[in-house]
Amino acid sequence: MGAASRNTGVWLLATLATFLTFAQAKGGIKDFADAQGPRKFDLTLTWEVFAPDGFPREMALINGGFPGPTLEINQGDEVEVLIHNKMPYNTTVHFHGIEQYLTPWSDGVPGITQRQVLPGESFLYTWTATQYGAYWYHAHQAGQLDDGLYGAITIHPKKSQATPFSHISKDDATLQAINRAARDPRPLLLGDWRHIPSPEVQDLTHKANMELSCYDSLLFNGKGSVECWSPERIAAAVSDQQEDYLKSANLTSLTPKGCLPRVVIADIISDGADTHPETIPASVFDVCAASSGGKEVIAVNKTTEEPLKWVAIDLVGAYGLLTVTFSIDSLSVWVYAVDGEYIIPQLVQAITVTNGDRYSILVPLTAAGDYPIRVASVLPVMAISGTATLSYRTEDPAAPLAAPTPYINDAGEAVDGSVVFFSVDAQKQLEPLPIASTAAQSFPLYMRTVGASFEWALNSSKFPAAVIDWGTEPVILFHPQPYVQNNVTITTLNDTWIDMVFITADVPMPPHPIHKHGNKMWLIGQGTGEFTWGSVNEAIAAIPGNFNLVDPPRRDGFSTAAATDAKTWTAVRYHVTNPGAWLLHCHIQSHLLGGMAVAIQDGVDHWPLVPAEYVNY
Ligand SMILES: *[C@@H]1O[C@H](CO)[C@@H](O)[C@H](O)[C@H]1NC(C)=O
Ligand SMILES: *[C@@H]1O[C@H](CO)[C@@H](O)[C@H](O)[C@H]1NC(C)=O
Ligand SMILES: *[C@@H]1O[C@H](CO)[C@@H](O)[C@H](O)[C@H]1NC(C)=O
Ligand SMILES: *[C@@H]1O[C@H](CO)[C@@H](O)[C@H](O)[C@H]1NC(C)=O
Ligand SMILES: *[C@@H]1O[C@H](CO)[C@@H](O)[C@H](O)[C@H]1NC(C)=O
Ligand SMILES: *[C@@H]1O[C@H](CO)[C@@H](O)[C@H](O)[C@H]1NC(C)=O
Ligand SMILES: [Cu+2]
């Protein structure tokens, strides 16, 4: 079929939707609770020169800007997102963390839930906002997330939804202030940024046969700067792990960009692969050139009607590679929701944020001031930090401004022992759901590099190696769906419980931020050493102390345990309730592109019938 005829179905849908009114409610309605859906968004994707950190390059823009507009939605709404691909590349858009209950064809994963959207084409995503909280959308095609194709999603909870705020305060005025803040959360998309577009990164990666692990700047809602540090400042940020890597290459310092030198990646981390670091331009790892794209400011003003001021911020880890420590100088924050779902709030000064994570925080404000919002990389590949500003003003313009001091340093470490980090282990859901005491199936997944440092397997084989069983059509389109288990495919039955154990096949191995599409999972256990049991059920019987089946954290993404000296394993459990084809993958873009993914066919016995317009386009 030609592109034109093959796309008629969704084209018709798209054209129809264009004539309907689109609610561009961004910033307008503050209390969404009574507004009625469906909520429609029109996103035009273009490829243009733009300079988020002051350095102009070609990148993806959404409706002419970066990041894309926030999709502000009420829980329960029908949502329609119409994209127009005016980029010279194929694309798809994924709604990260959105469960796509009964609409798996709108999950936006090429090859799994849809065909790629060609240049010039439009595509309509339709789904129901069954959940509440902080989510985000991003490209799921090639490296386009790294090219800036992303934006925030805010879903306002139903009025009947219980909140965790009474754990923060029992005082009526405080609770009123908190509720007011939580109704109007400010999304803060945290990103890492490169000066070369992802197609070029791919070319260079393949030529050099190694991962390009050096970035240029850190962005806050699409704004940041390239800061070139003095050799002393770089030296002060070197971690023990970085020092070990440098020593093994007989080197003493990071590059002027703060990166592990390319020879370290080429000779030490690439494990004997035939690398060509000399083919990489010096600008990628070495030469630092300062530039500025301005500073993101979250402005908060106290009004006379409000005796107390709080602000809610939805942190989104829109990183392509890095994991950071997040902190606001001199301000303690309450983490009250994780990956969109309320938790028993934790009062902390620092949060580790990795790819795909969402942390909703409430910040109590007392003294006027400009508080640096600080992030710093904790990955050994580079030392980099950046700031935005939380600017708070009271009615008294003459009030002296606070002089905030940092809780974290350039290496993302606490400045002293009093700094409390958010604890995933201690994360307690506000509304814990019952977890089955045993699972029907247990899948071991052996994470490893398979070849060069950029070629990764979530389970022994690079994705999509064996999915080709189905030919080139998206997995969702097959009826009846074949029951396939292989290194890159997991198949389950509806209403069963599934365990997955992520095992580090090699040591050392960095943590991998694993994200599952379609539903959240519970992190039920972790351990060090070989996973010697035949299933998670057996491991639970043998070493119950390593497991929590009572009140474990529930999320749509987890970082696997790092393996520094010994192997580690991380076990998650989930309930199959939403049949469909879902991707399970590492959210580091170079790892995903390198093959670190597995296709999951959840509920093959109740496989969804894909609507005609999503089949015949
Ligand atoms: C774009 O998508 C079409 C249709 O799926 C496919 O044939 C083509 O190979 C894709 N192009 C690229 C560069 O991936
Ligand atoms: C580092 O130096 C030592 C001693 O000169 C040498 O044996 C080793 O091969 C060097 N390692 C690298 C990676 O150059
Ligand atoms: C707060 O006040 C400043 C200065 O008057 C103004 O520029 C800014 O837009 C205000 N911010 C909000 C969120 O009202
Ligand atoms: C699955 O992984 C194992 C272990 O690495 C390997 O021996 C086998 O060839 C893989 N199977 C396929 C079909 O790639
Ligand atoms: C992962 O690969 C191993 C072979 O290395 C295989 O034994 C295991 O069944 C695979 N896991 C899944 C979920 O297929
Ligand atoms: C799958 O199982 C869940 C949980 O029992 C159930 O609510 C749902 O209706 C089932 N889905 C289908 C398509 O049968
Ligand atoms: Cu990874």
Side-chain angles (χ1 to χ4, degrees), residues 448 459-461 487:
R448 50 161 59 102
N459 191 39
S460 307
S461 304
N487 291 2

Side-chain angles (χ1 to χ4, degrees), residues 526-570:
Q526 273 182 323
T528 304
E530 297 283 351
F531 188 83
T532 53
W533 302 273
S535 67
V536 170
N537 291 339
E538 284 177 27
I540 293 170
I543 46 163
N546 285 55
F547 289 88
N548 175 5
L549 295 175
V550 180
D551 55 2
R554 186 176 127 87
R555 308 187 58 155
D556 50 52
F558 287 107
S559 275
T560 58
T564 31
D565 306 315
K567 290 185 181 179
T568 63
W569 52 267
T570 304

Side-chain angles (χ1 to χ4, degrees), residues 84-151:
H84 307 285
N85 181 13
K86 299 198 171 155
M87 304 189 294
Y89 304 106
N90 290 353
T91 196
T92 66
V93 172
H94 167 62
F95 305 90
H96 186 116
I98 299 296
E99 62 186 4
Q100 299 289 355
Y101 185 63
L102 305 181
T103 56
W105 44 84
S106 284
D107 195 44
V109 181
I112 302 286
T113 65
Q114 69 169 97
R115 301 184 196 99
Q116 302 174 28
V117 182
L118 301 173
E121 286 184 349
S122 296
F123 192 91
L124 181 66
Y125 295 95
T126 52
W127 45 274
T128 307
T130 49
Q131 302 146 289
Y132 66 85
Y135 294 85
W136 62 304
Y137 61 96
H138 62 75
H140 223 293
Q141 173 75 23
Q144 286 167 7
L145 193 162
D146 272 348
D147 295 318
L149 210 166
Y150 59 75

